[in-house]
Structure formats: C-alpha cells, structure tokens
Amino acid sequence: NSNYVFSDGGSRGGELTLDNDYSVLRRNFWLVTDNAFKNAVEAITRKRAALKNISEPEALADLWPAKPVQHIQPIVRASVSADAWTHRVRDLSRVFASHPDVLSSGVNFESSDAMFYLVNSEGSAIRVPDRISTLQVRAAGQAKDGMSLRDSLVFPVLDPGNLPSDADLRKQVEAVAQNIKAVSQAPVGETYSGPVLFEGVAGAQIMAEVLGPQFALTRRPIAEPGRPAPFLPSEFEGRIGSRVLPDFMDVVDDPTQKAWNGIPLLGFYEHDYEGVPPTPLTLVEGGKLKNVLLTRQPVRGSFEASNGRARVPGSFGANAASITNLFVKATETVKKEELRARLLKIVQDRGKPYGVIVRKMDFPTTAPNDELRRRFMSAQQGGGARPVSTPLHVYRVYPDGKEELVRGLILRAFSVRTLRDIVAVSDESFAFHYMNTLAPMSMGGTGYVAPTSVVAPSLLFDDVELERPQDDLPKLPIVPAPPLSATAR
C-alpha cells in the first residue's frame, strides 16, 4: 500500500494514556492497529485501481532486501533536572532585560529521552536509545525604518552534559543581544552581484541547507491519472557522474563518526529506521556526483540496495533518507587571510566598490510563517523551487580592508547549481549541528527529526546575487515598550 499518493491517508499513531494501566494501554494499541490496518486496506485497494489506468515505464520492486539484524541495547535514562533547567533558562533569558533594543526574546530547553524499537517479519529486532536535547535562544528587534530584525542560537546535543558552560552560554546570549543592536543601527544593504565569502559557520550552513537535501533520492509516487502528486524530486536524480562541485572538492557522509576534532557529532547511529547498518559513503569525488542516499525503497538508476540512510518517516508511506555527518573536504585550500585577499582581488578586477562577507545564516530559520510563505512565493515567481534562508550577519568589505555591517539583504536565485561557482575554500573547517526535520528551513518543525552535523570550510563564490526584499515595512510602535524589570521607571 506504500508509494501511493493516498498512502498517508491514515494516522501513523495514536494517543496513549499517561497512567500505567495495562487494560487501557492494550485498548489504545488495539485501536491504533485497527485504524492502521483499515487505512492500509483502503490505500492498497485504491492503488490497485489506479495502476489499472496507468502504464509504468519501468517496474520497480516494492522493497530492497536487507540482512536481518539483532541489536538490543539496555534502557538507560539520562538525568535531566527540570528545576535546574528552569533556573538556568530564566538566568539566560534575564540577559536580554538590560538590552532595550531587543523587543522580544526567548530561551527554551527541550529534552527527549526515548527508545526506538523495530521488529519485522524478516527477523530483525532492534532497540536503541533515541534521545536529543536542544537549547534555543531567540531575539528580535526593529530598525528605525520599521524593518524587523532577528538573531538566534541553537545548541542540539545527544547528551545534555555536552552543552557549553553557563559562563560561555551567557557570553553567547549577550552576543546575540549586541548583534540585534548593531544590526538595527546598520545601513540597509544595496542590491549586489559579485564575489561573496561565506565565512566560518556560514559555509557549513549553506552546505547543510542547499547541498545536503539533494543527496536523498525519493521515488515518485503513483497517482490518479490526470492528478499529479505533490512531488519535488532531487536535482541530483539521474546525474551520477555529473559535476556538482568544483573538481577540488569531495563530500563524504559518515554516520560511524562520533566526534570530529573533539567535538561530538549528532549524526552517529548503528542502524537506521529500517534496521540497515550504515557505512561511510563518498557522495562527491573530484567534484563529480558518485553516490546518493538510499533507503530500502527502490528508486530508478543502477542501485541495488539501501545504504542505511532511512532516518525519518517520509511521504507516501515510506521512510526518507537524509544526511548524517556530512564532511565537505577540498584538495586545494588556502589560509583565511589568502581567502579574504582573493575576494578583494576579484573586487578590484571587476571594478566593484566592495565585496561581501556572510558570517551567519538564519538556518534553521526563526522567521514567522507569513515571511516564509512570502519567500516561497517570491522564489517560485523567479523560477526557483525553494528559497534559501536569510543571511543574518552580512558585511561589506572595501579594498582597504574596512568592513561595514549591513542589513535587509536576501539571496537571489541561489541553488545547488550555484555551488559549482566556488573558487576557493579555507584550510580550516567548521562544525554546524542542527535538527533536520525535512521541512525547508524551519527551526520550529515538530515530529520526527534527524540529528545532523555538517563539517565544511569557508567558501568563496565567484558571483552571488543579493537583493532587498520587496516587503512592506511595518510602522514602529506608537508608544515605547514597557520596562522589562519591576524596578524600572
């Protein structure tokens, strides 16, 4: 009944009582099983009817075989004190009280400690921990012309003990507040086309958002004749052997790595959602696409089996693949100073007044839903499939080395094809960690998530376009904001 446009018509789960009552739990499980079975019967009946009215160019199997595995880990719960974290979150949030330029802010901590179970008819039985903790910091402000501003921090970890110390967290929260003030006083950027350096973590963020999702191939679902399914294929479909990056760059996805340079990585696991053990996978070699991420659902191409990348439930009744620990490497690198010098050399050669450095992206984004809708509509009108998140820290760099912070710019027509225009990368790499929800850009996605880490260098692009969004700016508040402390007057 899978791989059909109505495969997801029924609920995947149901509500369970919080009480440890066997009879109630048994009834809950019975109702969920009954509902799942009836929906599966309805879906496969409709799918069979649809198949009678369409012709498939190439018949594919429903499931690739996989060797059964037995892997049962003990149930060990992490120790997380709600009282201690309540105090810690309030203490961090209090930092914003002394910054009037921050009009709204929030600090929240979430911790999930669960077990993942898999039993199938092939003989596999798996029980492994499925835990994640996330500390999020958000702040928003408004410039004098009404432009909304924001900044954020996200710390996803598998073990809460790996979070930074209180002193380090306070320092970083303070930096977020200072960023809001600095950006609110910065001039609005101008439409720009020229060399752009994505420096530091911004390089890893670009690779995570633009490159990472394209490695996952999904199978086009069966739909009713004349009613196409809502399906967005990967741009790498059918492109094995094609150049997708400069010839000096390689990409490896490796979920067997627990740490990099002493930094814990999020993408480690021993078996995926279908019980398949993963191995390191070279995705790009010498700039050419060598492999893709696969689950047990067969896809078109010269593929024969899953490579263990089923990490979250996907659409149309199948699991979805995603990157794990993605390492972007290069055989030709330059030092940070040389990378900056190359940026200014391109600026000089083209007679540009300045170049652009991006040091932080809003990915995963904290933007409100209405802004995301406008970005998607604008991208579709411009011929693109999806927009890229907003650059948060953007600097003009002049030929004399002077830097100037600007605001209000977005990337235009930036896609995976733009990555072929990388002209140089740094000899230093940076780790970026996030929760992959398979929802474009969103930080606030709910449901299933795939903890992911991306390690990548700074990236210098030959030509990137930035523009000012054509959004109407809201008016400033009529009266000043109320004081954030009871003692304020």
Side-chain angles (χ1 to χ4, degrees):
N1 66 305
S2 63
N3 194 46
Y4 176 54
V5 69
F6 292 113
S7 293
D8 295 325
S11 172
R12 288 179 177 265
E15 295 182 353
L16 293 178
T17 176
L18 292 175
D19 299 323
N20 189 19
D21 188 315
Y22 173 75
S23 61
V24 176
L25 287 169
R26 182 176 66 175
R27 179 175 178 80
N28 288 148
F29 283 123
W30 172 71
L31 288 172
V32 170
T33 304
D34 180 69
N35 182 58
F37 177 79
K38 289 176 178 176
N39 280 294
V41 170
E42 180 181 353
I44 198 171
T45 302
R46 300 179 69 173
K47 178 181 178 182
R48 285 169 175 162
L51 284 170
K52 293 180 180 179
N53 297 314
I54 62 174
S55 59
E56 292 186 279
E58 178 185 354
L60 293 174
D62 290 322
L63 199 68
W64 272 323
K67 184 180 296 185
V69 295
Q70 300 278 334
H71 186 74
I72 307 296
Q73 291 191 16
I75 300 176
V76 180
R77 298 299 183 190
S79 177
V80 177
S81 170
D83 291 339
W85 270 106
T86 298
H87 174 77
R88 196 175 187 184
V89 164
R90 287 175 175 169
D91 184 58
L92 292 173
S93 182
R94 199 174 292 116
V95 172
F96 292 112
S98 58
H99 294 274
D101 294 285
V102 177
L103 302 183
S104 64
S105 62
V107 179
N108 68 285
F109 173 76
E110 299 178 4
S111 184
S112 171
D113 190 359
M115 299 295 293
F116 171 75
Y117 294 81
L118 170 68
V119 178
N120 65 25
S121 58
E122 298 166 312
S124 291
I126 293 175
R127 184 181 71 190
V128 293
D130 184 10
R131 61 172 63 105
I132 190 72
S133 296
T134 307
L135 179 67
Q136 296 181 355
V137 180
R138 308 184 188 198
Q142 193 172 23
K144 292 182 178 180
D145 58 6
M147 181 179 292
S148 298
L149 312 168
R150 60 179 180 272
D151 202 354
S152 64
L153 292 171
V154 186
F155 300 95
V157 291
L158 301 180
D159 181 357
N162 290 332
L163 284 167
S165 65
D166 286 355
D168 191 19
L169 285 173
R170 286 183 63 87
K171 182 179 179 180
Q172 295 193 53
V173 173
E174 177 72 26
V176 169
Q178 294 291 348
N179 289 337
I180 293 293
K181 179 180 180 180
V183 175
S184 67
Q185 298 174 355
V188 178
E190 302 168 340
T191 297
Y192 173 86
S193 177
V196 174
L197 172 60
F198 290 87
E199 190 175 76
V201 72
Q205 286 178 303
I206 279 290
M207 288 299 187
E209 181 178 8
V210 179
L211 180 66
Q214 302 301 333
F215 289 121
L217 291 196
T218 54
R219 184 168 167 176
R220 187 179 299 274
I222 294 168
E224 306 293 328
R227 298 175 60 184
F231 177 75
L232 184 64
S234 165
E235 293 194 34
F236 288 166
E237 185 175 338
R239 295 189 62 195
I240 295 294
S242 300
R243 188 173 76 88
V244 296
L245 288 173
D247 57 11
F248 57 85
M249 296 189 71
D250 304 325
V251 179
V252 176
D253 188 70
D254 189 358
T256 67
Q257 295 293 321
K258 293 184 178 181
W260 171 79
N261 286 355
I263 301 173
L265 299 175
L266 297 188
F268 168 80
Y269 60 92
E270 296 177 275
H271 298 87
D272 70 358
Y273 269 33
E274 297 171 332
V276 179
T279 57
L281 191 65
T282 298
L283 299 173
V284 178
E285 186 175 27
K288 294 182 179 179
L289 183 65
K290 294 295 183 181
N291 218 323
V292 291
L293 308 176
L294 300 171
T295 68
R296 291 188 63 184
Q297 184 184 49
V299 295
R300 302 192 187 283
S302 56
F303 309 110
E304 299 178 350
S306 167
N307 49 37
R309 263 55 180 196
R311 304 197 66 205
V312 289
S315 301
F316 314 114
N319 289 306
S322 74
I323 58 175
T324 62
N325 295 321
L326 194 74
F327 295 89
V328 180
K329 307 175 182 180
T331 56
E332 300 175 11
T333 62
V334 297
K335 294 187 177 299
K336 177 180 178 180
E337 296 76 13
E338 175 63 22
L339 199 61
R340 185 185 176 98
R342 289 198 184 187
L343 167 68
L344 295 177
K345 179 67 165 56
I346 299 175
V347 168
Q348 182 181 8
D349 291 345
R350 297 185 184 174
K352 297 280 185 179
Y354 57 82
V356 169
I357 296 178
V358 177
R359 293 198 171 104
K360 186 177 182 180
M361 301 290 295
D362 186 31
F363 176 79
T365 185
T366 57
N369 290 333
D370 60 339
E371 180 177 335
L372 292 179
R373 284 193 294 268
R374 292 196 300 270
R375 293 286 179 268
F376 272 92
M377 291 178 60
S378 176
Q380 291 174 353
Q381 292 171 358
R386 62 181 64 179
V388 178
S389 58
T390 303
L392 291 181
H393 301 173
V394 184
Y395 297 82
R396 294 182 217 175
V397 54
Y398 295 92
D400 62 358
K402 175 188 173 183
E403 291 187 5
E404 181 184 25
L405 178 66
V406 296
R407 58 181 170 90
L409 291 176
I410 60 174
L411 294 167
R412 179 170 62 189
F414 195 103
S415 70
V416 69
R417 298 179 185 274
T418 311
L419 301 179
R420 292 179 296 187
D421 295 330
I422 297 172
V423 294
V425 304
S426 66
D427 60 352
E428 181 183 6
S429 292
F430 304 85
F432 172 64
H433 317 285
Y434 69 107
M435 303 305 298
N436 191 348
T437 64
L438 301 186
M441 304 195 306
S442 176
M443 177 191 291
T446 58
Y448 293 94
V449 294
T452 305
S453 293
V454 175
V455 178
S458 299
L459 310 169
L460 175 60
F461 287 79
D462 180 68
D463 190 80
V464 171
E465 295 181 78
L466 295 108
E467 65 179 353
R468 296 171 59 176
Q470 303 300 314
D471 297 338
D472 294 328
L473 299 179
K475 291 184 177 181
L476 293 173
I478 297 176
V479 296
L484 294 177
S485 62
T487 57
R489 291 292 187 268

